[in-house]
Structures are given as C-alpha cells and as structure tokens.
Amino acid sequence: MKNEYIPYPAVIESIRDESFDTKTFRVVFQDDALADSFSYKPGQFAQLSLLGIGEAPISITSSPCKQGFLEFTIRAVGRLTHAMHQLKKGDTIYVRGPYGNSWPFEEVKEKDLYFIAGGIGLPPLRSLINSVFDKREEFGRIKILYGSKTPDELCFKEELKSWQRITDTEVLLTVDKPEEGWKGNVGVVTTLWDKTDMTSSGGAAYVCGPPIMIRFVIERLIGTGFKDENIYISLERYMKCGIGKCGHCNIGPKFVCIHGPVFTYSQIKEFPEKEKAI
Ligand SMILES: Cc1cc2nc3c(=O)[nH]c(=O)nc-3n(C[C@H](O)[C@H](O)[C@H](O)COP(=O)(O)OP(=O)(O)OC[C@H]3O[C@@H](n4cnc5c(N)ncnc54)[C@H](O)[C@@H]3O)c2cc1C
Ligand code: FES
C-alpha cells in the first residue's frame, strides 16, 4: 500500500537568486518513472523536506507544460527554508505531492484576466500565468499588477520583461521603497489602479500575497465591479500533513491543504469571522 507520507528524492539541477532572501530551485526526480508521472496543475503545492530538519508546503512555480523538472521559489524565513538556501547544485531535497486544488483555468477561457500579487505571492501565480501564455489566443486581455517592498525583492525580473512583450498584456510594477534607477511606480499595489484602466469586464482576478494586501485588493476589486465568485485567492496556513488528516490548516470546516489553497471570495466570506485568513 502506498504511504502518502514518504517523500521522493529530487536532485537540484540549478539555483537562481531572485533577491537577497529568495531563490528559485529547479529539481529533477531521481526516479525516471516518477519524473514522467508527476503531474500537477497551476496553484498546487508540494511538501518539501530536508531529512532531520523539517518539511513545509511550497507552491510549484514551474508550468505543467514544461516537462522533466519542477521549480520552487523559496524565501528564507525559518528553519527549513534557511537550510534550503544553503544547498548547492547536485544536492538532494525531498518532495511529496502535488497537493491542494488549483487556480481555475478552463473556466476562464475568453475572459480578461487580472493577476495581482505582492512579494512572494507571484511564485504561486507564475505557473498559471505561463500556462495562460502558452494558449494566449484563448484568453482576453491580461493585466499583471505586482508589488514588492524594494525593486530587488521583485521575483522573476527577466520574465516580467518578457511577459510585457506579449500581445495585449500589461505588466505594472510598484515598490514601497524605490532604489536608485527605479523608474516605476512607488506605493502599495492598489495604487496601480490609477495607472491603467481597471474595469471588471466580467473578467477573473487572481490574488496572492500577504493578508493585508489581499484585504485591500479585494476591496478595490469589489469597488471596480468584480463579482465575489470571480475573485480567486490563494491562502496560506501552517500545515503538517498536507493531505487533510492532521487538522493544522483548518479554517472553520475547510482544510486549506485539500479544499484550498485557492478559494473564491464568496467562499472566504462564509468562513467564521475570527478565523478568516485575510
Ligand atoms: C499552500 C502554501 C504554499 C506556499 N508556497 C510558498 C512558496 O512558494 N514559497 C515560499 O517561500 N513559501 C511558501 N509558503 C510558505 C511556507 O510554507 C512557510 O513560510 C513555511 O513555514 C516555511 O518553513 P520554515 O521551516 O522555513 O519556516 P518556519 O520555521 O515554519 O517559520 C516561518 C515563519 O513563521 C514564524 N513561525 C514559526 N512557527 C510559528 C508559529 N507556530 N506561529 C506563528 N509564527 C511562526 C517564524 O518565526 C518565521 O518567521 C507556502 C505556504 C502554503 C500554505
Ligand atoms: S495540513 Fe494536515 S489537515 Fe491540512
């Protein structure tokens, strides 16, 4: 019988620095059969671990269309993530998953799409954004609104430039504290509303970032005419099992690991007030 708690070894193929505290790891499963069969959807996460140190949920940031490797963008915040930042190419990490639901994809075809992220909130959206670009003609206009504390802390700097060149796509960036040479916007992500024509046009909004950002973004989206059911949010909760067994990640009757991490705003509104994650 398959033991769901046993992780699989994966070797680090490359490491890219995103900022002073964030790195993107590309890993490849040692077992070829597993590498071929590991399928996932944008928005899902994996439980990553290092033996003797710990385990944590991390979003799969690579696109499912790119076969043969997985990518994870990790900010060093605690025990496991700091240890991961010490690893080198050729080292082994352990992976189990994929877990959780996914961002809606088929359901939003032909709609305008709005991706709104703060800080480390872009990695969970990158897989979806690249999947949408792989089928660009099947969607309406695309706007990506992304903010971070400083220009250095923006993830995927080169990719942001390449997204900007895609047809009918607008990438708007903002930072809280500009550095020398920064020519973009300064202010929280909602200040980007005034830099572009934000109209709901029946489109879908995808939101990921710190809880305070999510709260203000939802307020603006509702004010702009977005319907609760067309606003998708990825939530974070402390997790242990990742598979709906331990109860660590519950919000009211829902478990973020299996019913989420993606919820519509209509679902979040139903959560008990004191347990709302945003
Ligand atoms: C679905 C999902 C997807 C995620 N995707 C990503 C991702 O793509 N990239 C990424 O970098 N992170 C991601 N995270 C967040 C990541 O899982 C956490 O930051 C995780 O805790 C890191 O593990 P750690 O052992 O390094 O840190 P921990 O030791 O768990 O510490 C993390 C932070 O929380 C504080 N902390 C520790 N324990 C507690 C506690 N009991 N109560 C309150 N605060 C505490 C620590 O001081 C530290 O600041 C995701 C989380 C979820 C739920
Ligand atoms: S992490 Fe154990 S139930 Fe969700």
Side-chain angles (χ1 to χ4, degrees):
M1 205 168 74
K2 189 180 167 226
N3 183 337
E4 293 198 63
Y5 293 99
I6 296 180
Y8 295 97
V11 174
I12 299 175
E13 196 181 74
S14 64
I15 303 173
R16 189 178 67 229
D17 286 329
E18 300 291 348
S19 72
F20 76 97
D21 66 355
T22 304
K23 295 183 187 203
T24 296
F25 297 79
R26 180 176 290 192
V27 305
V28 178
F29 284 114
Q30 281 177 336
D31 178 340
D32 288 343
L34 182 64
D36 292 339
S37 65
F38 190 97
S39 68
Y40 60 95
K41 292 182 179 161
Q44 287 196 291
F45 66 94
Q47 288 282 55
L48 300 192
S49 56
L50 290 175
L51 299 182
I53 295 180
E55 192 180 48
I58 301 290
S59 303
I60 308 172
T61 190
S62 44
S63 160
C65 310
K66 307 276 182 284
Q67 298 287 314
F69 62 83
L70 296 174
E71 284 182 334
F72 301 98
T73 298
I74 301 175
R75 175 165 287 173
V77 292
R79 197 169 143 80
L80 175 76
T81 48
H82 272 118
M84 289 205 61
H85 273 231
Q86 303 308 311
L87 299 178
K88 303 272 176 282
K89 183 179 168 182
D91 287 341
T92 299
I93 65 163
Y94 293 83
V95 181
R96 59 185 180 96
Y99 297 134
N101 64 1
S102 54
W103 298 108
F105 183 76
E106 293 297 328
E107 303 87 314
V108 297
K109 284 202 169 152
E110 293 178 18
K111 289 189 179 184
D112 292 343
L113 303 185
Y114 301 79
F115 300 99
I116 305 158
I120 193 78
L122 190 59
L125 282 168
R126 177 188 178 225
S127 176
L128 174 67
I129 294 172
N130 280 323
S131 299
V132 165
F133 285 144
D134 281 338
K135 299 192 167 176
R136 179 70 194 88
E137 64 291 350
E138 298 182 21
F139 299 88
R141 68 177 180 168
I142 292 171
K143 285 183 194 283
I144 300 168
L145 278 60
Y146 179 35
S148 70
K149 282 194 197 124
T150 64
D152 174 63
E153 286 174 63
L154 292 166
C155 292
F156 317 127
K157 295 178 188 66
E158 287 309 310
E159 214 162 350
L160 287 169
K161 286 183 206 158
S162 70
W163 290 344
Q164 228 146 13
R165 292 192 288 271
I166 296 172
T167 320
D168 214 358
T169 301
E170 205 178 351
V171 179
L172 295 121
L173 305 178
T174 187
V175 298
D176 296 339
K177 291 187 211 130
E179 288 160 0
E180 214 180 311
W182 176 252
K183 295 190 181 73
N185 190 64
V186 177
V188 294
V189 80
T190 46
T191 61
L192 292 172
W193 250 251
D194 304 329
K195 310 284 169 194
T196 183
D197 55 326
M198 286 293 283
T199 46
S200 86
S201 60
Y206 296 83
V207 187
C208 193
I212 180 101
M213 181 214 98
I214 294 180
R215 222 166 25 241
F216 283 109
V217 166
I218 288 174
E219 221 175 88
R220 283 306 285 263
L221 287 168
I222 301 289
T224 313
F226 282 81
K227 294 195 177 132
D228 295 350
E229 60 272 25
N230 290 337
I231 301 175
Y232 303 101
I233 301 143
S234 186
L235 296 182
E236 284 195 9
R237 270 290 198 262
Y238 273 97
M239 291 185 184
K240 286 286 178 202
C241 69
I243 51 175
K245 307 275 188 213
C246 72
H248 264 79
C249 66
N250 85 297
I251 307 180
K254 301 279 184 196
F255 289 156
V256 174
C257 64
I258 51 171
H259 303 117
V262 178
F263 295 93
T264 62
Y265 185 51
S266 352
Q267 288 175 303
I268 289 177
K269 275 169 68 176
E270 301 295 318
F271 291 161
E273 196 57 44
K274 67 176 172 33
E275 294 184 31
K276 277 205 173 84
I278 53 165

